[in-house]
Amino acid sequence: MLTKEQIAQRISKELEDGFYVNLGIGIPTLVANYVPEGINVEFQSENGVLGMGPFPTKEQVDADLINAGKQTITTLPGASFFDSELSFGMIRGQHINLTVLGAMEVSQSGDIANWKIPGKMVKGMGGAMDLVASAENIIVAMMHTNRAGESKLLKQCRLPLTGVNCVTKIVTNLAMLTIEKHQFVLQELAPGVSIDYVKGVTEGELVISNNCKVMEF
Amino acid sequence: MLTKEQIAQRISKELEDGFYVNLGIGIPTLVANYVPEGINVEFQSENGVLGMGPFPTKEQVDADLINAGKQTITTLPGASFFDSELSFGMIRGQHINLTVLGAMEVSQSGDIANWKIPGKMVKGMGGAMDLVASAENIIVAMMHTNRAGESKLLKQCRLPLTGVNCVTKIVTNLAMLTIEKHQFVLQELAPGVSIDYVKGVTEGELVISNNCKVMEF
Amino acid sequence: MFFCIFNRIQFFQTMISKKVNSVQQALEGITDYMTLLVGGFGLCGIPENAIAELVRLNVKNLTCLSNNAGVDNFGLGLLLQKHQIKKMIASYVGENAEFERQMLSGDLEVDLIPQGTLVERCRSAKMGIPAFFTPAGVGTEVAVGKEVRTFNNKQYLLEYAADADFSLTKAWKGDEAGNIVFKGTARNFNQSMCGAAKINVVEVEELVPLGALDPNEIHVPGVFVQRIFKGEKYEKRIEKLTLSE
Amino acid sequence: MFFCIFNRIQFFQTMISKKVNSVQQALEGITDYMTLLVGGFGLCGIPENAIAELVRLNVKNLTCLSNNAGVDNFGLGLLLQKHQIKKMIASYVGENAEFERQMLSGDLEVDLIPQGTLVERCRSAKMGIPAFFTPAGVGTEVAVGKEVRTFNNKQYLLEYAADADFSLTKAWKGDEAGNIVFKGTARNFNQSMCGAAKINVVEVEELVPLGALDPNEIHVPGVFVQRIFKGEKYEKRIEKLTLSE
């Protein structure tokens, strides 16, 4: 089983030199900690910054400088600020190469639900609907099951959708899976996790890749 | 009969304090020379500048600083530069209070033609179609007749249209007319010009305003 | 006033002044039942002085379009506390418990809109575009009742320009002509909202003399601004202080 | 390379480089029959070095979308002289006699488009908006064959995003990350075009070090740029020198 940090670390291997990356709130944000050496990526935050750096020291804190999760940030030399209009232009126009976000449910068709639990939680979709409707390369970072132990990888999402047919890859605490032809394809297992265990907690159609292997770090 | 400068001067009386004004190529450009004292207006040029000043001295000339007529310009303190997108946003969004432009023909319904003579002259509409489709206050500055002596104030335009139902006022070398209920309404005569003379060179429906008077300068 | 020579003819000319001297003057005309665009992302770049004045004015039954709804005791949360907002149009409201309470109890109408669509609707109003197509929300409940059209094998929704009485935005620096510049991520929705309403009010941290702003670097030219004023004070509260150590 | 501490973990990170060393490298991949967006308004802000290289490459049957078509012996006029352009999409072409000759003789296809529509079509391509409504051209021959729709009692035309292989634009200063700023009215179409094509090439007068441009004042962030290079020389010809005396 992977920790949240390890999920982020596994996802960081999907980063390629020259990628512009949008990281969602939660586990996705941690991906920035694991950029492989020797490759350059730039992090975009949809509230209007490209070229985010580390979190600030106490002295560097600036109230006018936050990320989409409302956390204080810094920028690297060569960064740029822009307004929300241009920011979502980048997203909608597919200028961002990789989007990583969390989810409450993902379906075997690549549908994703992460913004609303009717009658219980209504936080809003923020920029997630724009991101999933536009990005060509979407990775979901999440736990394989919810707090009640139920699978979050479903035949069909039960919660209101954020987007349809858009997720291409999922990294959970148990496995890395791709979505192909309306099936989850098990590509990699977390160390110490068995195929049968993943099968048991995956409600959607699951096929095992011929090249299925144990994740390496 | 008015000179081109006098046409511009008459139009300048339509300027009101706080107006943003777009001046077309030709006679309209001259309007900037006659801003009445005590009122502040700002001139916009659709290639991306607000707050145009006088033409430059030899020393001030900057190739990166032109108006929509491609003439070299200067700017006043408080001016701003922007791209064509925002510039036409100003125009389309009706943030510009007054548009003055030339025309080859105007109809009694307020249609205007000024961009094309089929088979002869095809310069293109430039920004004129955006301007006339959006502006609430459009004044045409032109000669009353063309070189052949034929009326340019018509029942219907014969040339390809730039816009329909948009011109509100016309200042020619002979008169100032408004357009109301599909008629030209003669409001002011140029000094030395008779009502009958204007009638004779106006092809479209012409009515004489009860308050028709001689222009004052 | 500047003295200029224009084509051999002399004329006096300066910019059109948008400056007002107080937040009271700036907000004159805001009444019950109006629709307001309010800039900011979270608590970053919000028009603090205008919001405080709305509280003081105690105008009611407002429709507010803003990316977020503030926190319980700051930002638009201050208006929610006093039940001044009838309807909220936003993309994310997760930081405000009072908001959730009023929404779930039915006291507050809520329209949740994808963030990119929300800002593009403001931009469209500003730019005279009545409607546009966007992919955000296709196949979700956001698409219900909306026109769907396919371009290049991809589906899009038709969305409309926002329609508002006032915009209340906040910039870093501005001049009397209404030209403004923003700093950092405090720009966010402020740039597109400023110019999108019938009357556009902007508050700034610093009012600088005409000509002090580089004309190449103005984010919103003054033509989009009807009233500009210097905010009395800025708390600039930080929502989630996150440090590297 | 900068050394940073990010949440207690150390990492090296710098910007993605877009810099190429020559106009030849910058235009690699441009072939016959391609569609190009070319920045500039008249001769102001045109990508002089890229145009010169297009002449040298002698690519043919190009479709060029640009506000104007240059003058007879400069700007896009240089390509017209060599009959490299098959189709021109522009708003105003009145300054070019060779253009008029080729058009009237039928050698050159021409699509004349209202200027605001032209730039909005570029902006839409850049921003992922497939189509939008605009009032420009309603009731004119521009509207022929187009969808007309009424919003708030006013008619609008449906217009589509531009579709281009390359954009060739010119900026004042830029950095290795592809961030650019413009000067004066040389900005014009360059800002919206840069990012609107599949490959976006920008030439600059000055390449400055990373961090030299104020991040608040960048007109086009590097994400929209694939290749940036320093132009070898700029003539910056003035079309209509007009002096005050």
Side-chain angles (χ1 to χ4, degrees):
Chain A
M1 295 240 282
L2 304 185
T3 62
K4 288 181 179 182
E5 282 75 16
Q6 285 172 314
I7 293 176
Q9 200 176 347
R10 174 60 193 84
I11 289 173
S12 72
K13 289 172 187 254
E14 306 290 325
L15 299 175
E16 293 178 24
D17 193 33
F19 264 20
Y20 291 90
V21 184
N22 182 292
L23 301 176
I25 299 171
I27 303 175
T29 302
L30 302 173
V31 172
N33 295 333
Y34 302 98
V35 181
E37 245 183 89
I39 73 166
N40 288 321
V41 299
E42 288 182 35
F43 293 107
Q44 190 244 24
S45 196
E46 64 265 29
N47 58 319
V49 54
L50 197 65
M52 269 189 292
F55 293 117
T57 60
K58 230 176 194 168
E59 292 70 34
Q60 290 174 317
V61 167
D62 181 345
D64 292 330
L65 206 37
I66 63 169
N67 64 18
K70 280 97 178 179
Q71 297 171 306
T72 44
I73 57 161
T74 63
T75 56
L76 302 174
S80 54
F81 300 117
F82 36 86
D83 76 326
S84 303
E85 175 202 333
L86 192 67
S87 187
F88 281 91
M90 286 177 199
I91 289 166
R92 231 189 282 106
Q94 306 192 321
H95 304 279
I96 303 298
N97 304 93
L98 177 64
T99 293
V100 184
L101 74 179
M104 301 193 284
E105 298 177 350
V106 176
S107 86
Q108 64 194 32
S109 303
D111 298 349
I112 177 172
N114 70 352
W115 73 285
K116 186 178 182 180
I117 303 174
K120 265 195 185 166
M121 182 217 76
V122 192
K123 290 185 183 302
M125 66 293 280
M129 280 197 185
D130 302 272
L131 281 159
V132 301
S134 306
E136 287 182 318
N137 195 358
I138 299 173
I139 301 180
V140 164
M142 66 177 189
M143 296 293 120
H144 211 96
T145 54
N146 63 18
R147 283 176 199 169
E150 298 159 344
S151 179
K152 293 170 73 173
L153 288 78
L154 308 175
K155 287 192 199 309
Q156 288 215 317
C157 293
R158 289 162 200 142
L159 294 171
L161 294 180
T162 309
V164 295
N165 254 311
C166 53
V167 177
T168 52
K169 201 171 267 186
I170 307 167
V171 179
T172 74
N173 52 331
L174 303 180
M176 188 277 276
L177 312 95
T178 53
I179 293 181
E180 293 167 36
K181 298 176 186 160
H182 301 280
Q183 292 177 323
F184 295 110
V185 183
L186 180 61
Q187 301 285 359
E188 296 179 14
L189 286 162
V193 174
S194 71
I195 289 181
D196 280 348
Y197 188 80
V198 172
K199 275 187 183 168
V201 290
T202 304
E203 189 224 78
E205 290 291 328
L206 181 73
V207 297
I208 317 301
S209 164
N210 289 333
N211 304 314
C212 184
K213 57 176 187 175
V214 175
M215 252 174 235
E216 280 166 31
F217 285 94
Chain B
M1 294 236 288
L2 304 185
T3 61
K4 289 183 181 182
E5 282 74 17
Q6 285 173 315
I7 293 177
Q9 203 177 343
R10 173 60 192 83
I11 289 174
S12 71
K13 290 174 187 253
E14 306 290 324
L15 299 174
E16 293 176 24
D17 194 33
F19 264 20
Y20 291 91
V21 183
N22 182 292
L23 301 176
I25 299 171
I27 302 175
T29 302
L30 301 173
V31 172
N33 294 333
Y34 302 98
V35 181
E37 246 184 88
I39 74 167
N40 289 322
V41 300
E42 289 184 34
F43 294 106
Q44 190 243 25
S45 195
E46 65 265 28
N47 59 317
V49 54
L50 196 66
M52 270 188 292
F55 292 118
T57 60
K58 229 173 191 169
E59 294 67 37
Q60 289 174 318
V61 167
D62 181 345
D64 291 331
L65 206 36
I66 63 170
N67 65 17
K70 279 98 177 177
Q71 297 171 306
T72 45
I73 56 161
T74 63
T75 55
L76 301 173
S80 55
F81 299 117
F82 35 86
D83 76 326
S84 303
E85 174 202 332
L86 192 66
S87 186
F88 281 91
M90 286 177 200
I91 290 166
R92 233 189 281 106
Q94 307 191 321
H95 305 278
I96 304 297
N97 304 92
L98 176 64
T99 292
V100 184
L101 75 178
M104 300 193 283
E105 298 177 349
V106 176
S107 85
Q108 63 194 33
S109 302
D111 298 350
I112 177 173
N114 70 353
W115 74 283
K116 187 179 183 181
I117 304 175
K120 265 196 186 164
M121 185 218 74
V122 191
K123 290 185 182 302
M125 67 291 281
M129 280 197 185
D130 302 273
L131 281 159
V132 301
S134 306
E136 287 181 321
N137 196 358
I138 299 173
I139 300 180
V140 165
M142 67 177 186
M143 296 295 118
H144 211 96
T145 54
N146 64 19
R147 284 177 199 169
E150 299 159 345
S151 178
K152 294 171 73 172
L153 287 79
L154 309 175
K155 288 193 198 308
Q156 286 216 318
C157 292
R158 289 160 198 144
L159 294 171
L161 296 180
T162 308
V164 294
N165 253 312
C166 52
V167 177
T168 51
K169 199 170 270 187
I170 306 168
V171 179
T172 74
N173 50 330
L174 304 181
M176 189 277 273
L177 311 96
T178 53
I179 293 180
E180 293 166 37
K181 299 177 187 161
H182 301 280
Q183 292 177 321
F184 295 110
V185 183
L186 180 60
Q187 303 284 0
E188 297 179 14
L189 285 163
V193 174
S194 70
I195 289 182
D196 281 348
Y197 188 81
V198 173
K199 276 187 182 166
V201 291
T202 303
E203 191 225 76
E205 291 290 329
L206 180 73
V207 297
I208 317 301
S209 165
N210 290 334
N211 305 314
C212 184
K213 56 175 187 176
V214 175
M215 249 173 235
E216 280 165 32
F217 285 95
Chain C
M1 289 286 250
F2 301 94
F3 184 77
C4 301
I5 297 180
F6 198 114
N7 228 0
R8 275 172 296 165
I9 289 162
Q10 300 177 348
F11 73 104
F12 290 92
Q13 195 56 46
T14 182
M15 297 292 115
I16 298 163
S17 177
K18 307 299 176 70
K19 190 181 152 196
V20 294
N21 291 315
S22 68
V23 65
Q24 284 76 25
Q25 277 179 274
L27 266 53
E28 217 174 274
I30 295 188
T31 55
D32 294 357
Y33 293 98
M34 276 193 171
T35 296
L36 313 180
L37 308 177
V38 184
F41 184 98
L43 302 180
C44 185
I46 57 174
E48 295 186 23
N49 292 275
I51 291 171
E53 176 64 10
L54 286 176
V55 172
R56 201 191 64 79
L57 285 171
N58 201 24
V59 281
K60 300 273 190 190
N61 286 304
L62 297 173
T63 294
C64 290
L65 189 157
S66 188
N67 188 55
N68 311 89
V71 295
D72 281 338
N73 57 0
F74 205 57
L76 289 182
L78 297 171
L79 299 186
L80 286 166
Q81 278 182 348
K82 288 188 68 191
H83 295 269
Q84 294 179 254
I85 301 177
K86 175 175 69 89
K87 181 176 180 179
M88 189 72 216
I89 304 170
S91 90
Y92 190 81
V93 293
E95 280 103 0
N96 194 318
E98 173 63 16
F99 183 96
E100 205 156 354
R101 208 196 52 68
Q102 289 187 25
M103 175 173 58
L104 293 175
S105 73
D107 289 351
L108 182 67
E109 272 177 75
V110 178
D111 202 356
L112 289 168
I113 307 224
Q115 199 169 129
T117 302
L118 196 64
V119 70
E120 190 72 9
R121 287 180 59 190
C122 295
R123 185 259 176 195
S124 295
K126 178 173 178 173
M127 301 293 213
I129 300 286
F132 60 90
F133 286 96
T134 177
V138 167
T140 75
E141 64 180 54
V142 162
V144 174
K146 288 185 182 152
E147 178 176 336
V148 183
R149 198 182 290 199
T150 301
F151 300 94
N152 291 321
N153 296 316
K154 184 167 171 170
Q155 290 188 313
Y156 295 83
L157 303 181
L158 183 66
E159 297 279 1
Y160 297 85
D163 182 19
D165 299 293
F166 274 79
S167 75
L168 306 176
T169 57
K170 189 256 166 189
W172 179 33
K173 293 181 191 172
D175 65 22
E176 202 182 312
N179 296 306
I180 53 174
V181 295
F182 302 99
K183 175 168 155 272
T185 56
R187 190 172 339 174
N188 53 62
F189 275 69
N190 287 299
Q191 185 168 324
S192 290
M193 284 180 172
C194 187
K198 288 179 193 77
I199 297 179
N200 301 282
V201 176
V202 57
E203 59 180 82
V204 295
E205 290 180 53
E206 256 182 83
L207 259 179
V208 300
L210 273 189
L213 300 174
D214 181 338
N216 290 303
E217 293 163 359
I218 286 165
H219 294 133
V220 180
V223 64
F224 293 110
V225 172
Q226 277 68 48
R227 303 173 194 170
I228 189 168
F229 71 99
K230 185 182 176 321
E232 274 206 355
K233 71 173 186 59
Y234 288 96
E235 178 178 337
K236 291 210 197 179
R237 197 185 291 186
I238 290 173
E239 214 165 327
K240 292 185 188 165
L241 181 67
T242 312
L243 300 174
S244 65
E245 277 140 328
Chain D
M1 290 288 249
F2 301 93
F3 185 76
C4 304
I5 296 178
F6 198 115
N7 228 0
R8 273 173 297 167
I9 288 160
Q10 302 177 343
F11 73 103
F12 290 92
Q13 195 58 42
T14 181
M15 297 291 116
I16 298 162
S17 178
K18 306 299 176 70
K19 189 181 152 200
V20 295
N21 292 315
S22 67
V23 63
Q24 285 77 25
Q25 275 179 279
L27 266 54
E28 217 174 274
I30 295 188
T31 56
D32 295 355
Y33 293 97
M34 276 190 170
T35 296
L36 313 180
L37 308 178
V38 184
F41 184 98
L43 301 180
C44 184
I46 58 173
E48 295 187 22
N49 292 275
I51 290 172
E53 176 64 9
L54 287 176
V55 172
R56 202 193 63 79
L57 285 171
N58 200 24
V59 282
K60 300 275 190 188
N61 287 304
L62 298 173
T63 294
C64 291
L65 188 156
S66 188
N67 188 55
N68 311 89
V71 294
D72 280 338
N73 57 0
F74 205 56
L76 290 182
L78 297 170
L79 300 184
L80 285 166
Q81 279 183 345
K82 289 188 68 191
H83 295 268
Q84 293 179 255
I85 301 177
K86 175 175 66 92
K87 181 176 181 179
M88 190 73 215
I89 303 169
S91 90
Y92 189 81
V93 294
E95 281 105 359
N96 194 317
E98 174 64 15
F99 183 96
E100 205 156 354
R101 208 198 52 71
Q102 288 186 26
M103 175 173 55
L104 293 175
S105 73
D107 289 353
L108 182 66
E109 274 178 75
V110 178
D111 204 356
L112 290 168
I113 308 221
Q115 199 170 128
T117 301
L118 196 65
V119 71
E120 189 72 10
R121 287 181 58 190
C122 295
R123 186 260 176 192
S124 294
K126 178 173 177 174
M127 302 293 214
I129 301 285
F132 60 91
F133 286 96
T134 177
V138 168
T140 75
E141 63 179 56
V142 163
V144 174
K146 288 183 182 155
E147 178 175 337
V148 183
R149 197 182 290 201
T150 301
F151 300 93
N152 290 321
N153 297 318
K154 185 170 171 170
Q155 290 189 312
Y156 295 83
L157 302 181
L158 183 66
E159 297 279 2
Y160 297 86
D163 181 20
D165 299 294
F166 275 78
S167 75
L168 306 176
T169 57
K170 189 257 167 189
W172 179 32
K173 294 181 190 171
D175 66 22
E176 200 182 313
N179 297 307
I180 52 175
V181 294
F182 302 99
K183 174 169 155 276
T185 57
R187 191 174 335 176
N188 54 63
F189 275 70
N190 287 299
Q191 185 168 325
S192 290
M193 283 181 171
C194 187
K198 289 179 193 78
I199 297 178
N200 301 282
V201 176
V202 59
E203 58 181 80
V204 294
E205 290 180 53
E206 256 183 83
L207 259 178
V208 300
L210 272 187
L213 300 175
D214 181 338
N216 289 304
E217 294 164 355
I218 286 165
H219 293 135
V220 180
V223 64
F224 293 109
V225 173
Q226 278 68 49
R227 303 172 193 170
I228 189 168
F229 71 100
K230 185 181 177 320
E232 273 205 356
K233 70 175 185 62
Y234 287 96
E235 180 178 336
K236 292 211 198 176
R237 198 185 291 186
I238 290 174
E239 217 165 327
K240 292 183 188 166
L241 181 67
T242 312
L243 301 175
S244 64
E245 282 141 322

